[in-house]
Amino acid sequence: MSLSVRSLLLAGASALLLTSAASAQETTAPAARESTAFTLATDQPRTPEQEAVRFDKADLSIRVLPEQKAIDAVAVLDFTALSPVSVLPVELDTRFEISFVAVDGTTLDAADWRNDEGRLWIQLGRDLAQGDTVSIRIAYAGQPREAPRAPWNGGFVWGTAPTGEPWIATSVQPEGCDLFWPCIDNPFGEPGRVDLHITVPSNLAAPSNGRFLGKQDHGDGWTTWNWSAANPNTYAIALNIGPYEEMTAQYESRFGNTIPLSYWYLRSDDPAKVRALFAEFAPMMDFYESTVGPFPFGDEKMGVVGTPHLGMEHQTINAYGNDYRLDGKGYDWLLHHELAHEWFGNQLTNANADDMWLHEGLGSYMQPLYLRWLHGERYFQAELLEQRNDLINRFPVVSGERRSEDQVYQGDVGPGLDIYNKGSLIAHSLRMLVGDEAFFRSVTRLVYGRPDPQPGNFTTRHASTDDFLAIVNEEAGRDLTWFFRGYLYQAALPDLRETRENGRLRLEWVTGDGAAFPMPIEVEVNGERTTVPMTGGRGEIAVGERAHVLIDPDSKVLRQLDFIEIWKGRQPR
């Protein structure tokens, strides 16, 4: 469909939003109710009815009212039945007043839908058979949740730019998409496409996900910005509104395609700092494409937008709020980490939050790898050491049970920061064990579902820790269940016990669950290195009485180190 025809179709929805918003400005917005516990707990299990449909498309027309800290929106949700279904729930925060719900163009009576705790149940009015389609239209308005501490505690951020204009962003990973649009708040609830029509004051810009489809100035101080994104991660849909300017370039990919680069920055930003940050885009893209594979959304854009919060991996429009800070490493760590999530999070999405280390751990391992790419081995090892010193080891990285994001990210009940640092160090130990070829092929297969990704031959996918283990086993040609069990499913690090007597050095691995851990270990004796096989978790070699012995001289293996435990104020085991 051409943009001009599409604009005509959008005019009706825009007119509705403009009319309702105009009346909304004439009155004071009522105090918003609180979001329910259900709404604030993302990654909810899907209901049988949600599993019975495919989410084909969401068309979201959202007018943002900065002075009221409110939105006025119409969502059109299209589904295809995979099995018979007659009622369909979607998630939407109860803070919003719903003015009508329509199914296939017919407005429902109020008795035909309800939104009790943030799960909006809709009677479809007929029994859908397999292959049938249905279109649901929902009009809603109100004050969305204001983020207490974005991005860690999310919602809308209603900020002010240095030049005085509104500066607004959404960041909803911990709570989910239902904070501002009706969705299926589950990783498997990803729609095939989301079209966004964001109406804002005309002196502001509204960069968002996917491809830009043009903007419409309504001539009354309001402009609608139109975007379209394929297969977006649900929490990655983002509104960004402010006095932005755009810097653009074209990246010539090593895979033969040309990818638009786009940076939306505040008009008040230092031009030199803007240019310096933008200059980092292409080298980072080249690193990721050479290390993992093709940029997953090359037919849309690699986009970044300045935000009043620190950052978040919003697909093709990553939030950046690091304020151009330098830290002596020669690159912007936040820009690089959020870009990692285009591969680990948006292209590959974990099956459940319990597998979140696949996003954060593998994404975090990209930082030391990039430092080696830029500056060499010293910087690579320095970054790994920094991650090692930050380990907590209070909860396992993976529990083996279904978890919500809060149960994973909150360090008092789950692994917290260990999914970043420990996940990265586990990835490094795995690479040192199986070798570069098997490791990087495993990562590529995990991300794309195939070993030979090229633009156009893959789509977004979901995977679990068990899926990664199966891939690693194939690539390494051996069963590495012991490795995953010993590192990921135990809070305690494997402990290498050593005794030395009668000219022999005896080594034994002790794990959190007492299972065998046959991790080979390199030992340096008087400058000469040998690898001890550690069959069954035990091994020994001959050493001279006064020989200098150094265990794991290149720090290839993640393990408990007593001197770090003492430094942390913990008792060694």
Side-chain angles (χ1 to χ4, degrees):
M1 183 181 296
S2 71
L3 180 57
S4 58
V5 174
R6 178 176 182 79
S7 298
L8 291 174
L9 294 177
L10 290 174
S14 297
L16 173 64
L17 288 171
L18 290 169
T19 301
S20 59
S23 62
Q25 290 193 82
E26 295 172 1
T27 61
T28 302
R33 60 176 65 93
E34 292 299 318
S35 302
T36 67
F38 175 85
T39 293
L40 296 180
T42 191
D43 205 3
Q44 305 281 15
R46 289 181 296 168
T47 70
E49 295 85 358
Q50 290 173 332
E51 292 180 343
V53 297
R54 181 183 68 232
F55 194 173
D56 298 319
K57 182 182 176 183
D59 189 286
L60 308 177
S61 298
I62 302 174
R63 182 179 177 102
V64 181
L65 308 168
E67 291 185 5
Q68 294 176 280
K69 296 185 177 181
I71 64 173
D72 193 353
V74 175
V76 180
L77 314 178
D78 297 334
F79 300 92
T80 297
L82 304 177
S83 58
V85 64
S86 60
V87 61
L88 185 58
V90 295
E91 280 77 67
L92 181 64
D93 199 338
T94 58
R95 293 172 66 99
F96 298 112
E97 294 292 338
I98 298 174
S99 56
F100 73 80
V101 177
V103 175
D104 291 332
T106 300
T107 300
L108 300 184
D109 293 334
D112 292 329
W113 58 268
R114 71 180 194 276
N115 190 20
D116 298 330
E117 292 294 321
R119 179 163 271 167
L120 173 60
W121 290 88
I122 301 168
Q123 298 290 334
L124 302 179
R126 61 188 174 100
D127 295 331
L128 298 186
Q130 182 179 355
D132 287 349
T133 61
V134 66
S135 183
I136 299 173
R137 186 180 181 92
I138 304 167
Y140 62 101
Q143 292 181 315
R145 182 179 195 254
E146 190 166 350
R149 184 172 173 260
W152 301 278
N153 197 338
F156 269 65
V157 180
W158 303 94
T160 302
T163 46
E165 300 92 340
W167 188 18
I168 303 163
T170 60
S171 179
V172 300
Q173 181 187 17
E175 296 79 19
C177 45
D178 49 338
L179 283 194
F180 72 99
W181 62 280
C183 59
I184 297 176
D185 187 17
N186 179 279
F188 287 95
E190 184 177 288
R193 179 167 294 280
V194 173
D195 288 348
L196 292 130
H197 320 292
I198 307 164
T199 301
V200 299
S202 295
N203 64 327
L204 305 177
S208 192
N209 308 86
R211 292 183 297 112
F212 183 46
L213 301 181
K215 60 182 179 178
Q216 302 158 274
D217 189 332
H218 301 289
D220 58 356
W222 296 88
T223 296
T224 299
W225 296 67
N226 303 300
W227 302 86
S228 183
N231 303 310
N233 194 342
T234 53
Y235 71 77
I237 295 298
L239 306 184
N240 305 279
I241 299 153
Y244 290 118
E245 299 288 349
E246 183 185 16
M247 182 172 287
T248 63
Q250 297 292 317
Y251 169 69
E252 299 300 328
S253 166
R254 61 176 56 221
F255 291 92
N257 56 326
T258 300
I259 301 169
L261 305 179
S262 176
Y263 178 36
W264 295 84
Y265 59 94
L266 291 181
R267 295 169 189 155
S268 57
D269 285 356
D270 183 336
K273 292 180 179 180
V274 170
R275 290 191 297 270
L277 187 73
F278 190 68
E280 295 190 41
F281 284 26
M284 288 185 184
M285 289 282 283
D286 191 44
F287 163 78
Y288 279 112
E289 288 207 322
S290 66
T291 304
V292 185
F295 180 69
F297 312 105
D299 58 343
E300 296 181 352
K301 68 177 181 300
M302 181 280 205
V304 177
V305 60
T307 55
H309 64 87
L310 181 61
M312 181 55 64
E313 63 270 20
H314 296 146
Q315 190 167 310
T316 70
I317 191 69
N318 281 333
Y320 173 81
N322 199 34
D323 199 29
Y324 308 103
R325 292 184 182 90
L326 301 179
D327 59 8
K329 296 178 181 178
Y331 78 107
D332 192 292
W333 72 268
L334 181 71
L335 178 69
H336 192 271
H337 180 77
E338 302 306 345
L339 182 57
H341 285 308
E342 296 285 32
W343 286 264
F344 307 102
N346 296 333
Q347 164 59 30
L348 162 75
T349 301
N350 53 209
N352 176 255
D354 194 43
D355 304 302
M356 189 62 73
W357 81 280
L358 297 175
H359 295 189
E360 302 294 6
L362 293 176
S364 294
Y365 190 42
M366 296 299 114
Q367 276 75 76
L369 287 174
Y370 190 55
L371 277 166
R372 192 184 192 287
W373 174 279
L374 289 176
H375 308 307
E377 190 69 20
R378 174 180 293 179
Y379 291 85
F380 172 71
Q381 291 293 347
E383 186 78 358
L384 290 175
L385 178 58
E386 188 174 317
Q387 292 178 344
R388 176 63 182 86
N389 287 341
D390 286 338
L391 295 193
I392 303 166
N393 302 321
R394 184 178 177 188
F395 295 95
V397 173
V398 181
S399 72
E401 301 176 358
R402 174 173 287 277
R403 288 286 186 265
S404 69
E405 288 202 10
D406 269 353
Q407 290 174 313
V408 173
Y409 275 99
Q410 300 300 322
D412 57 342
V413 294
L417 290 176
D418 275 355
I419 62 175
Y420 297 81
N421 297 315
K422 195 171 183 179
S424 171
L425 294 163
I426 290 169
H428 180 64
S429 291
L430 179 61
R431 176 181 158 225
M432 295 297 98
L433 176 64
V434 303
D436 281 5
E437 183 176 357
F439 176 78
F440 287 112
R441 278 178 60 89
S442 296
V443 170
T444 296
R445 286 181 58 188
L446 175 72
V447 169
Y448 301 97
R450 59 189 301 161
D452 58 346
Q454 295 289 327
N457 75 353
F458 61 86
T459 188
T460 54
R461 66 188 304 264
H462 297 82
S464 67
T465 301
D466 284 343
D467 294 327
F468 189 37
L469 171 59
I471 293 170
V472 171
N473 284 347
E474 288 184 20
E475 292 295 339
R478 49 188 151 149
D479 185 359
L480 293 173
T481 301
W482 61 267
F483 179 97
F484 278 62
R485 186 188 62 242
Y487 277 127
L488 290 165
Y489 293 89
Q490 316 295 322
L493 289 174
D495 185 12
L496 185 62
R497 307 283 175 85
E498 53 184 278
T499 57
R500 185 173 171 181
E501 58 184 4
N502 300 325
R504 307 290 294 178
L505 174 66
R506 294 180 175 85
L507 302 170
E508 178 183 5
W509 282 111
V510 176
T511 60
D513 63 356
F517 190 74
M519 172 69 83
I521 193 78
E522 196 171 62
V523 178
E524 182 181 286
V525 180
N526 288 335
E528 294 188 7
R529 298 188 182 189
T530 185
T531 299
V532 182
M534 301 298 291
T535 303
R538 294 181 175 87
E540 63 177 84
I541 57 172
V543 297
E545 183 177 344
R546 297 182 61 85
H548 177 256
V549 175
L550 183 59
I551 307 294
D552 190 23
D554 292 330
S555 300
K556 295 179 179 179
V557 178
L558 177 61
R559 60 192 176 103
Q560 176 173 303
L561 297 170
D562 288 351
F563 66 88
I564 292 182
E565 296 302 305
I566 294 169
W567 170 54
K568 293 280 189 178
R570 299 188 293 251
Q571 288 297 317
R573 284 190 291 167

